[in-house]
Amino acid sequence: MHLLVTHKQSIAENVVALTLSDPDGCPLPAWTPGAHVDIALEPGLTRPYSLTGGVDSGVWRVAVLRVPTGRGSRYLHDVVAPGSVLRIDGPRNDFPLIPARRYVFIAGGIGITPILPMVAEVERSGAEWQLYYGGRRRASMAFLDELARYGDRVHVYPEDERGLLPLSTALRCADNGTRVYCCGPELLLDAVRRHVDERPGSTVHFERFSPAGDAVGGAFEVRLARSGHTLTVPPGKSILEVVEEAGVEVLSSCRTGTCGTCETAVLGGIPDHRDDVLSADERESGDVMMICTSRSLTPHLALDL
């Protein structure tokens, strides 16, 4: 669909918010917290952006961090203006908010964008929650004014004032009844993963727009037990891509190792897990793997496909 940019606002250092509306004035469909849209920016260039703001407001809002080396962010900051028309696909939700009695939200920098509507939703539901939000400095942290209404449930950590996010404190009470949602830079996600792996039973959900583990590493063979194929997975391609090219249908969604849709049983070999779905115990057992990002530690893998 094509949507009109009706408002563009600077909301923090190097962060702009864009409001998207139907050109004919019709209300846009409601969406669910965690959803994102894909914005076509230039020929051959499409980037995902989390929706943030009111889920049923009739307009959509995205927040964009300007990245010096990012073609997409530079385009939205420097070229797009109110009155621009953008081609939008979606929304899609690979980071859904699952009902729970208690939540811990952890956001780093622009990672606050999918977390903001989640906080609003769990506040309406009456569930217990805490948000730990970190950034380099207060001026660079978006949506602080909108978060102020929630009082002491929001813990703001500008690094130049308070240091890094206290993950041990944030996750101290992340027991079996708590769901942890995290979005932010790779270093933050990796640190949260390490803390959660040390706490068996914790349930954590990550949002990232780059794969949890990219398709590097040497080639290896995959035997598909049910379809009878033996395939070579080269460097630069995922197992999922190679399997699909062979005509084998596999359910998949995010392709970044975060949603769990492509979980596949392992019948032989040792997976090289590069996902954000499996627990430490599940990784150790090696019984299943996410074939969109994970690879192999052995020359051969056998999969139940």
Side-chain angles (χ1 to χ4, degrees):
M1 72 180 77
H2 287 84
L3 298 182
L4 181 68
V5 178
T6 53
H7 190 60
K8 181 178 182 179
Q9 178 187 9
S10 175
I11 57 174
E13 285 182 358
N14 295 317
V15 180
V16 295
L18 303 177
T19 300
L20 308 171
S21 303
D22 183 273
D24 296 325
C26 298
L28 294 178
W31 45 278
T32 54
H36 73 271
V37 294
D38 296 310
I39 302 181
L41 303 167
E42 299 174 357
L45 179 65
T46 300
R47 292 289 184 268
Y49 294 96
S50 295
L51 290 172
T52 191
V55 298
D56 56 0
S57 63
V59 298
W60 293 347
R61 181 178 68 169
V62 298
V64 182
L65 171 68
R66 182 185 179 90
V67 179
T69 58
R71 289 169 57 199
S73 70
R74 293 202 312 270
Y75 183 85
L76 292 174
H77 274 254
D78 300 341
V79 178
V80 169
S84 298
V85 175
L86 297 174
R87 184 170 67 80
I88 310 291
D89 291 324
R92 294 184 291 121
N93 198 337
D94 300 321
F95 190 45
L97 183 66
I98 298 173
R101 66 173 182 83
R102 187 174 186 274
Y103 298 88
V104 174
F105 299 105
I106 300 173
I110 199 63
I112 191 63
T113 53
I115 300 297
L116 189 66
M118 291 185 173
V119 164
E121 179 66 25
V122 299
E123 175 71 4
R124 284 192 294 268
S125 75
E128 299 177 39
W129 64 273
Q130 297 282 319
L131 165 63
Y132 290 81
Y133 177 22
R136 291 183 177 177
R137 52 190 173 275
R138 192 174 296 271
S140 69
M141 300 173 69
F143 303 121
L144 289 179
D145 54 343
E146 296 187 31
L147 291 168
R149 73 187 73 170
Y150 299 119
D152 60 6
R153 280 168 294 180
V154 176
H155 309 274
V156 177
Y157 279 80
E159 188 175 341
D160 62 345
E161 297 176 24
R162 306 186 64 185
L164 298 175
L165 284 168
L167 297 182
S168 295
T169 300
L171 298 169
R172 181 174 53 207
C173 298
D175 57 20
N176 288 337
T178 301
R179 289 194 178 270
V180 179
Y181 282 82
C182 179
C183 184
E186 294 295 317
L187 288 176
L188 174 63
L189 304 188
D190 290 343
V192 171
R193 163 62 71 188
R194 289 194 298 271
H195 277 77
V196 170
D197 282 349
E198 295 169 0
R199 303 181 62 84
S202 298
T203 303
V204 63
H205 307 266
F206 293 97
E207 170 78 317
R208 65 171 93 223
F209 292 139
S210 59
D214 56 24
V216 298
F220 58 94
E221 285 192 345
V222 175
R223 181 173 61 84
L224 309 184
R226 280 189 279 134
S227 59
H229 294 288
T230 297
L231 308 172
T232 298
V233 181
K237 279 194 174 182
S238 69
I239 299 174
L240 177 61
E241 290 172 320
V242 171
V243 168
E244 288 178 333
E245 289 173 359
V248 178
E249 293 187 6
V250 181
L251 287 176
S252 66
S253 181
C254 72
R255 295 177 179 260
T256 60
T258 59
C259 73
T261 304
C262 69
E263 179 176 309
T264 302
V266 178
L267 305 178
I270 302 174
D272 177 10
H273 296 291
R274 304 185 183 188
D275 64 273
D276 283 325
V277 178
L278 299 175
S279 68
D281 290 343
E282 289 170 326
R283 291 178 177 218
E284 181 68 24
S285 73
D287 294 334
V288 296
M289 67 185 299
M290 306 302 151
I291 63 172
C292 65
T293 54
S294 298
R295 297 183 69 78
S296 181
L297 294 174
T298 50
H300 306 276
L301 277 179
L303 302 178
D304 185 21
L305 289 173

